[in-house]
Amino acid sequence: MPDTIVTPNPWQALRQFTAARIALGHTGVSQPTSAQLDFQLAHARARDAVHLALDTQALRTDIEAVWPGIGPCVQLHSAAANRNVYLQRPDLGRRLDDDSRAALAALRPSAPAMPPYDVAFVVADGLSSLAVAQNAAPFLQVVRARLLQEQWLVAPPAIVLQGRVAVGDEVGELLGANMVVVLIGERPGLSSPDSMGLYVTWAPRVGLTDERRNCISNVRPAGLRYDEAAGRLHYLLAEARRRGLTGVELKDETSGSVELAGEEKRNFLL
């Protein structure tokens, strides 16, 4: 009498290399009960990540703790009034509401001799508030160590509720920043409800499209680690400032100096 009624898959050994649902085995013509329950749990976590409200006060405290002196975080809101509107009207998630635009006007350097900000960091909940709640502050702590060595002029960070990637363009434009980096919760996967994406845009302004941005994806401890992501971001920021551009004309060429997990070296963005 066998210990289990599950028929193992001959590829089961490969599961140690991936969180993907491969080689689950079967019971008759069906999935094993444990695999089916795991799937339902992952799906529930993904749905929770989409609808979980971002605790902005906690995030603000975390960011200001890991980056002393960056200035108080400014809390903003997109033109999407609530989560339901945000999910149904992507266009509203790309623009700020009136109160947020007024709040940013006070932060823009006004003295003629004061240079514009080199970079503005924008944290938006996107489709997973869980992702930015867990990853934004510790990632910025690693980035801070790199930028401080080069005396970058960094704008006070902004936290945007119900925000999509393009909302960073309006934030950067109103702040008069040369560049904007948007940290945003990515669409949850069934094994990754906590993935954070980074989007870098030179000369941000309302109306830009995605070919003007560079993206670094899957930033989290179980994905692209903070130090690796910070290295790639630092490279893109430095090259964007030197060449005055981002997007399709700026390639990530850090593959020769950054090791990815598992000792394999490859270009993440290609």
Side-chain angles (χ1 to χ4, degrees):
M1 186 72 177
D3 295 334
T4 175
I5 61 173
V6 176
T7 302
N9 187 292
W11 291 1
Q12 191 171 18
L14 298 178
R15 295 186 60 186
Q16 63 181 306
F17 302 113
T18 177
R21 287 177 167 76
I22 63 170
L24 299 177
H26 62 90
T27 302
V29 295
S30 303
Q31 287 187 348
T33 300
S34 60
Q36 179 64 20
L37 292 175
D38 287 343
F39 175 85
Q40 291 176 337
L41 177 60
H43 187 258
R45 285 173 172 165
R47 288 178 59 88
D48 286 348
V50 171
H51 294 282
L52 180 67
L54 179 63
D55 186 343
T56 55
Q57 184 56 51
L59 179 58
R60 177 176 180 165
T61 300
D62 291 344
I63 292 175
E64 293 174 358
V66 301
W67 199 325
I70 196 174
C73 295
V74 56
Q75 183 174 327
L76 308 172
H77 203 291
S78 77
N82 55 54
R83 200 60 170 170
N84 287 335
V85 173
Y86 171 84
L87 294 173
Q88 296 176 40
R89 291 287 304 274
D91 56 320
L92 296 181
R94 300 183 183 113
R95 298 299 304 270
L96 294 171
D97 64 10
D98 293 339
D99 291 343
S100 297
R101 280 193 286 271
L104 286 177
L107 297 176
R108 181 166 184 161
S110 55
M114 188 171 179
Y117 295 117
D118 291 314
V119 59
F121 287 96
V122 176
V123 182
D125 47 6
L127 286 170
S128 173
S129 61
L130 177 69
V132 292
Q134 293 184 351
N135 300 307
F139 173 73
L140 287 174
Q141 185 176 27
V142 180
V143 172
R144 171 180 179 268
R146 292 175 176 269
L147 298 190
L148 282 182
Q149 300 173 5
E150 301 174 355
Q151 299 181 333
W152 287 70
L153 184 58
V154 181
I159 299 173
V160 183
L161 286 174
Q162 314 300 351
R164 293 184 183 268
V165 171
V167 79
D169 295 340
E170 189 167 18
V171 176
E173 181 178 11
L174 290 172
L175 287 172
N178 291 329
M179 271 182 288
V180 66
V181 178
V182 178
L183 290 69
I184 190 167
E186 296 178 339
R187 185 186 304 276
L190 289 176
S191 61
S192 56
D194 58 341
S195 287
M196 183 176 72
L198 312 174
Y199 291 83
V200 186
T201 308
W202 174 261
R205 60 186 183 278
V206 173
L208 294 182
T209 50
D210 288 342
E211 94 284 356
R212 301 294 293 271
R213 321 183 200 286
N214 289 88
C215 175
I216 301 171
S217 184
N218 196 28
V219 179
R220 60 191 181 111
L224 188 66
R225 299 187 303 247
Y226 299 147
D227 56 341
E228 297 167 351
R232 296 184 185 281
L233 177 62
H234 181 225
Y235 172 85
L236 291 173
L237 290 176
E239 285 299 299
R241 184 166 67 169
R242 183 177 71 85
R243 299 167 58 182
L245 53 83
T246 51
V248 296
E249 297 181 283
L250 178 60
K251 302 300 182 186
D252 175 17
E253 297 175 351
T254 61
S255 58
S257 59
V258 178
E259 288 188 1
L260 298 180
E263 303 296 328
E264 180 185 2
K265 295 180 178 179
R266 57 189 174 89
N267 192 324
F268 180 77
L269 295 181
L270 295 179

